[in-house]
Amino acid sequence: FATRYISDTTINMQVIPISCLTDNYAYIINDDSSKIVGVIDPSESSPIISFLKKNNLKLNYILNTHHHYDHIGGNIELKKKYNAKVIGFKGDSHRIPGIDIILENNEEWTFGNSTVKVLHIPGHTLGHICFFFQKEKIAFTGDTLFSLGCGRIFEGDHKQMLTSLNKIKKLPKSTKIYCGHEYTYKNAEFCMKYDNNNINLKKHFEKIKKLRSNGLPTIPSNLEDELKSNIFLRCDQNDLKIKLNMKNQEDFKVFKKIR
């Protein structure tokens, strides 16, 4: 899983995807103005330590979207090495290793000069959250919303997942979506199979092919593109319902069938 690092600078915030395990992304977030550094969902510690060392950075915070091992595996070692604070959701506090700061749904938390809103988005797990950096319009969606996909439902149910996706859909359209895995190519193939008349999706897929052939991440995606191309966000659209022979069916039934 060789991926070149691409730094995405939004206002004074730098977001750097770090490849972990086979297809995971952790994200280093660096607030240039306050010199505060965090990492989202470190599945393992060594690639994070290597990047921080190379760039002479010290880690202040570890933010976890949910409790799965491939999102929290590096917590303890990173906390021990940098004395970093671990951030997680109240409902998952018993399952997040080393948790220090416990946040609730809709709570706002300060990271450097940024205000971060916590959105509870259950479905994949019951305690899953999204970290939304409001000024920068950046959302870390973990394994709930992927580029052109959505997470498997392990602990929650389909209704919870659809409600969670609808919550993300209400964020500003220019929001950049940083998800937990490089699944985009496979997700695009799935979307194309059932939504192949979608012109926006076809264009999106061409971009994805170019990025992957050059060994580049497909992340971040843009919420506006996801709304047009991601089949799981289009369950309320009549053209898709007709295509699936589900005309006039409620959105939930369409989502459940697709998922």
Side-chain angles (χ1 to χ4, degrees):
F1 182 45
T3 302
R4 292 178 229 165
Y5 297 120
I6 298 224
S7 166
D8 180 20
T9 305
T10 306
I11 309 176
N12 289 314
M13 176 80 70
Q14 225 185 359
V15 183
I16 304 103
I18 307 290
S19 301
C20 297
L21 303 177
T22 53
D23 54 27
N24 273 75
Y25 284 129
Y27 298 100
I28 301 281
I29 43 176
N30 182 11
D31 185 326
D32 288 337
S33 53
S34 68
K35 305 301 178 195
I36 297 293
V37 177
V39 63
I40 310 277
D41 287 349
S43 49
E44 51 181 340
S45 59
S46 55
I48 312 302
I49 293 167
S50 173
F51 182 87
L52 294 170
K53 195 173 180 182
K54 188 178 174 184
N55 292 275
N56 200 25
L57 296 172
K58 184 188 178 299
L59 189 66
N60 304 101
Y61 294 108
I62 298 160
L63 294 82
N64 296 130
T65 61
H66 64 296
H67 73 90
H68 283 163
Y69 81 95
D70 61 333
H71 293 258
I72 52 88
N75 275 24
I76 297 301
E77 197 173 336
L78 290 171
K79 179 177 177 170
K80 191 176 171 185
K81 184 171 178 65
Y82 296 102
N83 198 27
K85 300 284 185 201
V86 176
I87 322 289
F89 182 58
K90 182 181 181 181
D92 248 3
S93 56
H94 60 298
R95 309 197 283 189
I96 302 286
I99 194 164
D100 299 292
I101 298 170
I102 295 168
L103 301 175
E104 298 192 44
N105 184 38
N106 291 326
E107 187 171 345
E108 291 184 346
W109 175 72
T110 303
F111 176 89
N113 292 313
S114 304
T115 304
V116 184
K117 189 168 187 179
V118 173
L119 305 175
H120 182 214
I121 48 170
H124 180 69
T125 66
L126 291 175
H128 202 303
I129 54 173
C130 164
F131 294 103
F132 178 55
F133 286 69
Q134 295 183 124
K135 181 175 59 180
E136 296 80 4
K137 296 186 173 57
I138 292 171
F140 294 96
T141 58
D143 287 1
T144 297
L145 176 65
F146 294 121
S147 178
L148 297 183
C150 83
R152 289 190 209 170
I153 296 160
F154 287 122
E155 296 174 1
D157 57 37
H158 288 82
K159 272 219 158 61
Q160 282 179 323
M161 182 62 98
L162 182 59
T163 301
S164 295
L165 292 173
N166 285 337
K167 198 182 271 193
I168 296 169
K169 280 170 77 170
K170 289 178 183 150
L171 295 175
K173 285 187 179 176
S174 58
T175 300
K176 289 180 177 179
I177 303 292
Y178 289 89
C179 60
H181 294 267
E182 185 56 75
Y183 290 163
T184 314
Y185 194 98
K186 283 281 185 195
N187 290 344
E189 288 182 326
F190 178 83
C191 289
M192 285 292 293
K193 187 174 178 183
Y194 297 103
D195 196 15
N196 58 8
N197 296 334
N198 187 328
I199 293 161
N200 293 301
L201 173 60
K202 287 176 184 175
K203 285 180 187 168
H204 199 136
F205 197 14
E206 290 310 309
K207 286 182 197 167
I208 289 159
K209 286 175 185 172
K210 281 179 189 166
L211 287 169
R212 293 315 289 155
S213 66
N214 290 317
L216 297 173
T218 60
I219 310 302
S221 62
N222 175 284
L223 184 57
E224 188 168 14
D225 288 338
E226 292 297 322
L227 291 169
K228 291 175 183 174
S229 307
N230 187 331
I231 197 168
F232 297 101
L233 301 187
R234 286 182 21 81
C235 295
D236 56 345
Q237 298 298 305
N238 288 327
D239 65 316
L240 181 65
K241 290 182 181 184
I242 291 164
K243 175 89 176 150
L244 297 172
N245 295 319
M246 297 187 79
K247 190 180 178 182
N248 301 325
Q249 293 274 4
E250 57 183 294
D251 302 350
F252 170 67
K253 285 184 178 169
V254 178
F255 175 72
K256 193 169 182 182
K257 183 185 173 83
I258 297 167
R259 180 57 277 186

